[in-house]
Amino acid sequence: MLNRSRFTMKESAMSVIRWLGLAGLMCLTLVPLGCSPDRAADGNNRYVIATVVKVDGIAWFETMREGVEAFGKDTGHRVFVLGPAKADAAEQVQIIEGLIAQQVDAICVVPFSVEAVEPVLRRARERGIVVISHEASSQQNADLIIEPFENAEYGRHLMDELARYMGEKGEYATFVGSLTSKSHNEWVDAAVAHQKEAYPGMVNVAAKIEDYDDQNLAYEKTRELITTYPNLTGILGSAMSTVPGAALAVEERGLQDRIQVVGTSLVSVSGPYLKSGAAKLISFWDPADAGYAMNKLAVMQLEGKTVQEGADLGIDGYRELAGSPDRPNLFYGSAWMDVTKDNLAQFETK
Amino acid sequence: MRKLILTHEFVLFVLVVLLCVAIGIKNPAFWSLGNVFDLLKSSVTLGLLALGVLVILISGDIDISFPAIAAFSMYVTCLIAQATGLGDHIAILFGMAAATGGLLGAFNAVFIHFFRLPALIVTLGTASLIRGGLLAFVGTRIITDLPESMVAFSRAQLFRQQLPGGETIGLAVSIFILVGVALLVQFLLNHTLLGRGIYALGGAPEAARRVGFNIRRIRFFIFALVGCLAGVVGIIHASNMRNANPFDLSGLELTVIAAVVVGGADITGGKGTVIGTILGTLLLVIIGNSLILMGLPTEWHKVAVGAIIIVSAGMAAWRRRMGRNSGRRK
């Protein structure tokens, strides 16, 4: 009974939100916004900027929505976030088509499939809509692409931290979500290359173990690594699930003083292990800041400012953008944040 | 003697022993007590699900919705425990999850029995419905503050000991749930009328109906059973992981069905044993958890798992041809 009422309440709340959203969209279409941006009190143009995410409703993109809304509050531009109810490339394309019809000024997109959105983004640009892409370094039809950081640099950073905890010597293993996860492999490749150069005392005994973003697999593989390599002293994780899985195995065996677990994760799942010492450091980037940075870039582009290396987007991690040698419209922040036992408290909500 | 040697279970047993010897030669650490405990713990969730699927396969049906049912029961139970403070005792949580799972399983049976739809299509649909409903209407947030009783359950170990290097090992108590359920299913299948009815339904449904088995009751029972087991697996999984993640436990269905089929069950119904299923589970768990131990590079892991499944299934087919004259098999 309790269950049932929960369901219907949540359901009706969802449908109210849906209708409100739809009504809001219809209002937007009634006003011919794209052609003549109205003027704010301070004399600046006020633009309409849509942010299209991969999936609506999951924690990661709800956090991104907060960042986008913060940008709207700070600047007075009309910003909103849309996304398909489930991760689906075709639905995302439909949403962007709707936005073209509404003649928004700019579209910020986190594509589910970079290739699938190319044609619709080209159409948007042909209509004079500014397009900003995120998590899509290979996007062709975008005015600007912003990535939270350069993958190789991030990989080297993680290796530096692991090396510090391992005392720059000993055996370590690396994990990836799968051998086809592009960013994970770039992080690990750069990390291992950096280790070979900078930390000759360390040995990579098990390379790119796959955990398929599954905490249970990360746990089982770590147990197996502990059995196989009695001298193992370090683990480098890539997927959000690796650090909690590996740390659990380490904690269960009582080896938190010997084996150092470092990697990409979120405080919500890895916090308890940082506290217990079974994981030493996790790193991640804040989707709220990425949402803010995308919208800021959209405004800069709309105002005709040229974005170049060193540009400041007014939010931590994106204060001095790095460029890319072969892609003039691709920019990187340095937006990773490290969390250890010591600064855990200030990240408790992430 | 000839009869024993020709059983599928015996062949499978020999295969498991050979595999263990081979891995042990390659890396003696395989035989360490810690590793044996690890393998047993890893067998629990796969084994419990395999026992449920075994009963379904014997009856001639199939179910692929059980991972979704497991995730749903796990998440909803943890939410209720969080909201109400119930769950001081792990048994209450197991009961709630098993009941939720059983209801969802019965929901499958409604469509399969009354609408006469193929079980594959129905459970494919309900799997998507249950997982989608969980994510859309119940929640996507990972629950990290589980009831104390669950954490205590995952920490409970027997034969706990400290190795010279400071490492602690122990046997997870959840293994006894698997042993208990295996004995129950063995008793159900071979010593109850209901069990004989399940075999009869899978072997010849029309004949089973005519001799007076209540097909509706059997169908509802087996689908509710697999749902209950999925619920129990959900709680064990969440306890082990120390969090309830609604995205977890997906993609298990094919591994579980593979374990049951490698264990000798016939996908067309009427055949299968508990001991075979347990051996099939052990085989898959041992392969899955020994690839790093054998020093295989990651690129080869899938190849190795696929090869072992093909070899064991091939041995079963070969044995069937050899044993065609040796009379009726279960």
Side-chain angles (χ1 to χ4, degrees):
Chain A
M1 196 57 215
L2 174 83
N3 234 336
R4 223 189 133 79
S5 61
R6 257 190 125 93
F7 263 57
T8 42
M9 266 178 63
K10 186 97 191 222
E11 204 171 6
S12 59
M14 289 283 283
S15 71
V16 168
I17 292 169
R18 290 250 161 79
W19 279 112
L20 283 178
L22 211 65
L25 275 180
M26 283 168 78
C27 293
L28 283 174
T29 53
L30 291 175
V31 193
L33 286 159
C35 323
S36 55
D38 54 332
R39 286 185 179 271
D42 56 5
N44 287 328
N45 284 338
R46 208 186 264 173
Y47 296 108
V48 178
I49 306 165
T51 303
V52 183
V53 299
K54 287 184 198 177
V55 198
D56 199 13
I58 68 167
W60 185 264
F61 291 116
E62 284 304 301
T63 314
M64 183 172 282
R65 180 192 298 275
E66 286 166 23
V68 172
E69 279 164 4
F71 179 80
K73 229 179 188 176
D74 288 357
T75 60
H77 295 291
R78 293 202 188 146
V79 295
F80 57 98
V81 178
L82 289 176
K86 63 176 172 44
D88 181 290
E91 254 186 83
Q92 209 182 22
V93 169
Q94 275 176 17
I95 289 172
I96 299 173
E97 264 161 4
L99 292 170
I100 298 175
Q102 282 175 46
Q103 300 182 313
V104 296
D105 295 302
I107 297 172
C108 302
V109 60
V110 190
F112 177 67
S113 154
V114 173
E115 291 76 18
V117 293
E118 294 285 15
V120 74
L121 291 184
R122 189 175 65 231
R123 254 195 321 282
R125 292 192 66 203
E126 282 165 6
R127 303 283 172 85
I129 298 172
V130 164
V131 172
I132 311 289
S133 257
H134 174 63
E135 285 186 52
S137 57
S138 59
Q139 193 88 61
Q140 297 302 317
N141 291 290
D143 292 272
L144 295 168
I145 306 161
I146 178 79
E147 298 293 309
F149 42 69
E150 215 242 307
N151 283 335
E153 201 188 332
Y154 180 66
R156 287 192 288 274
H157 163 70
L158 287 180
M159 180 49 70
D160 284 333
E161 293 297 333
L162 182 67
R164 190 161 63 81
Y165 284 106
M166 287 173 64
E168 302 191 7
K169 61 178 185 341
E171 297 179 354
Y172 71 96
T174 54
F175 276 82
V176 292
S178 94
L179 292 174
T180 54
S181 325
K182 191 164 161 275
S183 352
H184 294 182
N185 283 277
E186 286 177 15
W187 300 341
V188 168
D189 286 340
V192 173
H194 181 54
Q195 172 265 314
K196 283 183 180 143
E197 224 166 72
Y199 309 108
M202 290 166 66
V203 194
N204 183 14
V205 287
K208 290 190 184 174
I209 307 292
E210 289 178 298
D211 66 16
Y212 300 103
D213 292 36
D214 178 337
Q215 191 188 335
N216 189 43
L217 266 181
Y219 163 74
E220 292 190 345
K221 298 283 180 200
T222 304
R223 287 189 320 187
E224 204 185 331
L225 285 169
I226 293 172
T227 306
T228 313
Y229 303 102
N231 299 319
L232 189 77
T233 53
I235 288 172
L236 186 67
S238 296
M240 188 194 77
S241 50
T242 316
V243 169
L248 178 60
V250 167
E251 190 180 278
E252 204 171 81
R253 294 286 180 94
L255 294 174
Q256 52 265 48
D257 296 331
R258 193 187 89 195
I259 299 181
Q260 318 296 327
V261 180
V262 167
T264 307
S265 192
L266 290 173
V267 173
S268 57
V269 289
S270 291
Y273 301 105
L274 288 171
K275 255 182 221 155
S276 78
K280 294 301 185 297
L281 176 140
I282 61 166
S283 201
F284 66 97
W285 64 103
D286 189 339
D289 294 349
Y292 195 103
M294 273 197 287
N295 278 266
K296 173 77 181 177
L297 270 183
V299 171
M300 287 169 86
Q301 184 77 10
L302 283 166
E303 286 173 345
K305 291 179 189 157
T306 44
V307 179
Q308 52 199 5
E309 266 193 63
D312 180 358
L313 302 186
I315 190 146
D316 280 345
Y318 301 89
R319 292 208 186 274
E320 207 184 331
L321 293 190
S324 157
D326 36 82
R327 299 281 308 274
N329 64 343
L330 172 59
F331 293 95
Y332 298 104
S334 51
W336 65 71
M337 293 181 226
D338 292 339
V339 186
T340 62
K341 198 179 193 167
D342 304 321
N343 64 352
L344 183 59
Q346 69 191 81
F347 290 99
E348 216 70 271
T349 56
K350 301 291 180 194
Chain B
M1 191 62 203
R2 185 177 157 78
K3 215 176 156 193
L4 171 75
I5 291 173
L6 278 175
T7 58
H8 181 85
E9 289 73 20
F10 185 79
V11 176
L12 197 56
F13 177 73
V14 170
L15 199 66
V16 170
V17 171
L18 282 179
L19 189 68
C20 290
V21 169
I23 299 169
I25 290 172
K26 185 87 178 49
N27 188 342
F30 176 81
W31 290 110
S32 67
L33 200 54
N35 191 50
V36 173
F37 286 167
D38 285 351
L39 291 175
L40 289 174
K41 184 177 180 186
S42 294
S43 312
V44 174
T45 48
L46 193 62
L48 283 174
L49 292 172
L51 287 168
V53 170
L54 167 72
V55 176
I56 297 259
L57 284 190
I58 290 175
S59 82
D61 271 324
I62 194 151
D63 185 352
I64 51 172
S65 66
F66 56 87
I69 294 180
F72 189 95
S73 315
M74 163 188 83
Y75 196 73
V76 169
T77 303
C78 293
L79 267 186
I80 295 175
Q82 207 182 24
T84 62
L86 280 173
D88 298 338
H89 205 282
I90 189 82
I92 299 173
L93 297 171
F94 274 126
M96 281 197 321
T100 314
L103 279 176
L104 290 171
F107 181 64
N108 278 331
V110 170
F111 288 100
I112 293 161
H113 188 78
F114 292 115
F115 298 100
R116 293 170 196 259
L117 296 170
L120 180 68
I121 304 302
V122 169
T123 55
L124 191 65
T126 51
S128 178
L129 200 65
I130 293 167
R131 177 81 66 173
L134 173 64
L135 298 178
F137 302 120
V138 185
T140 51
R141 195 178 56 87
I142 299 174
I143 303 174
T144 46
D145 47 344
L146 293 182
E148 271 303 306
S149 62
M150 286 174 78
V151 180
F153 176 74
S154 78
R155 286 218 168 108
Q157 290 181 329
L158 290 176
F159 313 114
R160 206 178 158 76
Q161 52 190 284
Q162 196 156 24
L163 301 181
E167 191 178 337
T168 0
I169 56 169
L171 178 62
V173 293
S174 55
I175 187 74
F176 294 106
I177 296 183
L178 176 61
V179 173
V181 170
L183 291 175
L184 276 178
V185 174
Q186 171 73 13
F187 179 78
L188 166 81
L189 286 176
N190 297 301
H191 303 280
T192 65
L193 195 60
L194 182 60
R196 302 324 295 172
I198 294 171
Y199 276 107
L201 178 60
E206 192 49 39
R209 203 186 321 271
R210 289 194 185 175
V211 298
F213 281 115
N214 186 337
I215 307 297
R216 176 171 50 101
R217 195 180 298 165
I218 294 178
R219 281 238 171 87
F220 271 86
F221 174 79
I222 55 174
F223 280 97
L225 176 73
V226 79
C228 284
L229 288 175
V232 170
V233 163
I235 296 297
I236 295 178
H237 175 84
S239 306
N240 283 346
M241 291 298 104
R242 315 244 175 103
N243 62 41
N245 180 347
F247 293 94
D248 266 7
L249 290 162
S250 55
L252 265 178
E253 55 275 15
L254 291 181
T255 317
V256 172
I257 293 171
V260 182
V261 172
V262 164
D266 198 328
I267 214 143
T268 55
K271 290 190 199 94
T273 60
V274 168
I275 187 78
T277 301
I278 295 293
L279 285 169
T281 303
L282 281 179
L283 188 76
L284 287 192
V285 168
I286 290 171
I287 309 161
N289 286 281
S290 302
L291 300 164
I292 298 175
L293 214 59
M294 286 189 285
L296 273 183
T298 306
E299 293 82 356
W300 285 89
H301 285 193
K302 276 186 189 144
V303 178
V305 171
I308 296 278
I309 291 176
I310 295 287
V311 166
S312 50
M315 274 177 85
W318 167 78
R319 185 202 56 84
R320 233 168 249 171
R321 270 174 54 192
M322 295 294 290
R324 191 147 281 170
N325 306 325
S326 70
R328 201 183 90 82
R329 302 173 305 271
K330 262 196 308 215

